[in-house]
Amino acid sequence: MKKQKAAIITGITGQDGSYLAEYLLKKGYRVYGMVRRSSTETFERIHHIVDRVELVQADLLDQLSIINVIKKIRPVEIYNLASQSFVPTSFEQPVLTGEFTALGVTRMLEAVKLVDRKIRFYQASSSEMFGHAPYTPQCLKTPFHPRSPYGVAKIYGHWITINYRESYKIFAVSGILFNHESPRRGKEFVTRKISCGVAKIKLGIEKELRLGNLEAKRDWGFAGDYVEAMWLMLQQSQPRDYVVATGETHSVRDFVKKAFSYVNLNWKDYVVIDPALYRPAEVHVLKGDPTEAQKRLKWKPKVDFERLIEMMVDADLQKVSDTIKPTIPA
Ligand code: NAP
Ligand code: F7E
């Protein structure tokens, strides 16, 4: 009988980790999720699969805990998705962001180097590394110009991954993923903030939605599609980095307009611009060139911009209406 492959996902409790865990379970992997200790459980996104994955405790800040987990599990693949991923927090906590998002990657790679150099390693790089990009669309050749401590930390993670590949012949690759969203997106990110806000306004719980810069443009895809690209990158014969994107860009204003009009509301009646939500340095336009991923990985996003918005608004309408349902006495 063929032995089941084991994979470790760091950040399994996050948006991408939850979709990737589902994807790898379907592929027949034994899935191990690395979780940090917390006083309350953060398993909301994986509650439906928690009995089919194994959770192991370690922290990106603690080298020995990572080595011990990898030694115990001996995975064939590691997906390093854990990080401090919210850009505004990186301005408030730049040092901690560097510890998690930059040095955390070195700790993971050092553990791979020490325990088993045959383990295949995926690093979650980001379009935020392009930041103030000199041209559009962005591809692997585009120079980096990050605009936040988060973007800077991700560049460190990106290059240390390449460095371990070149220095120690580890199959270590970076996926430079452009923004990807879903009903499981954290509520502080703009798309989910909008879908939650629209649902609450539609259901009469809130009267306004406060937002920052509506002119920023992003290349938004669906997280469920993007985890497939992560897996495909680790199945190739040669390690190589990829840009993963839809190749389309839309402004925050477009997203807002479509989300409100989907529930027959006019966004202008509800959106309030709050200058406090502007960033010290903004990334104005991002649009990725997914040609190489399409050609070599045969990867293509399935969910388009409109469908993504509808999916997120529908899910939040359902969640919000569940919370306001009157309780029927027994
Ligand atoms: P997310 O929802 O914010 O999840 C982050 C995960 O990291 C959570 O599971 C969190 O665990 C874990 N984590 C944070 N600090 C940790 C530590 N010290 N030790 C162990 N685990 C820790 O992020 P996401 O959207 O799924 O993104 C996944 C990865 O892709 C991140 O590295 C992100 O920077 C990167 N990325 C995301 C996008 C995007 O558009 N979503 C695009 C490009 C790159 P807790 O539950 O304990 O907080
Ligand atoms: O902001 C503008 C804001 O926080 C998008 C992370 O997953 O993707 C994400 O980073 C845009 C920015 O995502 C609000 O100024 C306006 O221009 O949803 P976001 P992000 O910063 O692009 C990359 C690829 C990652 O790697 C990151 O981990 O929207 N915006 N008004 C707002 N943004 C927020 N959050 N809240 C607002 O009220």
Side-chain angles (χ1 to χ4, degrees), residues 315-326:
D316 278 322
L317 281 168
Q318 185 64 54
K319 276 190 191 137
V320 175
S321 65
D322 285 350
T323 61
I324 55 176
K325 262 188 201 140

Side-chain angles (χ1 to χ4, degrees), residues 188-202:
E188 68 274 44
F189 297 91
V190 78
T191 55
R192 185 75 198 287
K193 188 172 168 184
I194 297 167
S195 62
C196 276
V198 165
K200 286 182 180 164
I201 290 169
K202 182 72 185 172

Side-chain angles (χ1 to χ4, degrees), residues 13-16 36 59-60 81-83 85 150 154 177 180:
T13 54
Q15 171 188 254
D16 292 7
R36 55 179 164 170
D59 197 301
L60 284 182
L81 309 186
S83 82
S85 75
Y150 169 79
K154 279 287 176 189
L177 269 52
H180 44 280

Side-chain angles (χ1 to χ4, degrees), residues 14-283:
Q15 171 188 254
D16 292 7
S18 67
Y19 283 106
L20 181 64
E22 281 171 10
Y23 185 84
L24 295 182
L25 285 171
K26 279 201 194 116
K27 291 260 169 218
Y29 282 74
R30 262 186 301 129
V31 176
Y32 293 86
M34 193 186 104
V35 292
R36 55 179 164 170
R37 199 250 156 208
S38 108
S39 64
T40 50
E41 280 183 355
T42 54
F43 302 161
E44 195 187 323
R45 296 182 177 105
I46 52 168
H47 67 89
H48 58 299
I49 49 169
V50 85
D51 54 341
R52 290 190 285 141
V53 299
E54 206 167 307
L55 300 177
V56 284
Q57 238 182 55
D59 197 301
L60 284 182
L61 298 184
D62 189 84
Q63 180 74 72
L64 197 58
S65 66
I66 299 169
I67 295 170
N68 285 338
V69 158
I70 298 178
K71 261 191 185 157
K72 192 173 139 212
I73 296 164
R74 301 304 297 254
V76 291
E77 292 167 11
I78 295 179
Y79 297 84
N80 185 36
L81 309 186
S83 82
Q84 191 303 95
S85 75
F86 190 47
V87 171
T89 298
S90 79
F91 286 103
E92 303 300 325
Q93 300 176 7
V95 176
L96 189 66
T97 299
E99 283 288 350
F100 286 5
T101 305
L103 281 178
V105 188
T106 308
R107 296 190 188 98
M108 292 299 301
L109 286 162
E110 262 302 286
V112 169
K113 183 181 133 210
L114 260 160
V115 178
D116 178 1
R117 294 182 190 194
K118 287 200 280 305
I119 295 170
R120 293 190 169 204
F121 182 85
Y122 173 85
Q123 167 58 16
S125 284
S126 163
S127 53
E128 280 295 298
M129 302 187 308
F130 295 125
H132 195 54
Y135 50 80
T136 293
Q138 294 85 40
C139 63
L140 282 184
K141 293 199 180 84
T142 309
F144 295 144
H145 183 157
R147 297 276 280 171
S148 64
Y150 169 79
V152 175
K154 279 287 176 189
I155 292 178
Y156 175 94
H158 184 73
W159 278 107
I160 200 72
T161 302
I162 294 173
N163 184 259
Y164 273 59
R165 174 164 89 217
E166 292 175 351
S167 306
Y168 308 115
K169 309 280 174 278
I170 293 171
F171 193 113
V173 300
S174 276
I176 306 183
L177 269 52
F178 281 62
N179 298 52
H180 44 280
E181 319 294 313
S182 74
R184 296 183 203 165
R185 185 55 140 156
K187 286 183 184 152
E188 68 274 44
F189 297 91
V190 78
T191 55
R192 185 75 198 287
K193 188 172 168 184
I194 297 167
S195 62
C196 276
V198 165
K200 286 182 180 164
I201 290 169
K202 182 72 185 172
L203 296 172
I205 294 175
E206 270 170 22
K207 290 194 166 47
E208 64 174 36
L209 173 61
R210 300 185 84 78
L211 292 171
N213 179 17
L214 298 188
E215 309 316 323
K217 288 181 148 186
R218 290 291 184 276
D219 180 330
W220 279 297
F222 170 53
D225 288 343
Y226 285 39
V227 298
E228 183 186 24
M230 298 175 187
W231 178 78
L232 285 168
M233 278 179 229
L234 292 196
Q235 313 313 308
Q236 303 305 299
S237 54
Q238 295 302 320
R240 186 187 186 282
D241 306 322
Y242 288 90
V243 160
V244 178
T246 67
E248 273 183 32
T249 191
H250 300 272
S251 64
V252 174
R253 185 187 298 274
D254 288 341
F255 197 107
V256 168
K257 258 192 210 171
K258 285 201 188 304
F260 275 93
S261 78
Y262 181 55
V263 296
N264 301 315
L265 295 176
N266 183 347
W267 69 280
K268 288 186 180 155
D269 297 333
Y270 304 98
V271 172
V272 175
I273 300 303
D274 183 347
L277 293 166
Y278 277 65
R279 297 177 180 182
E282 177 63 284
V283 171

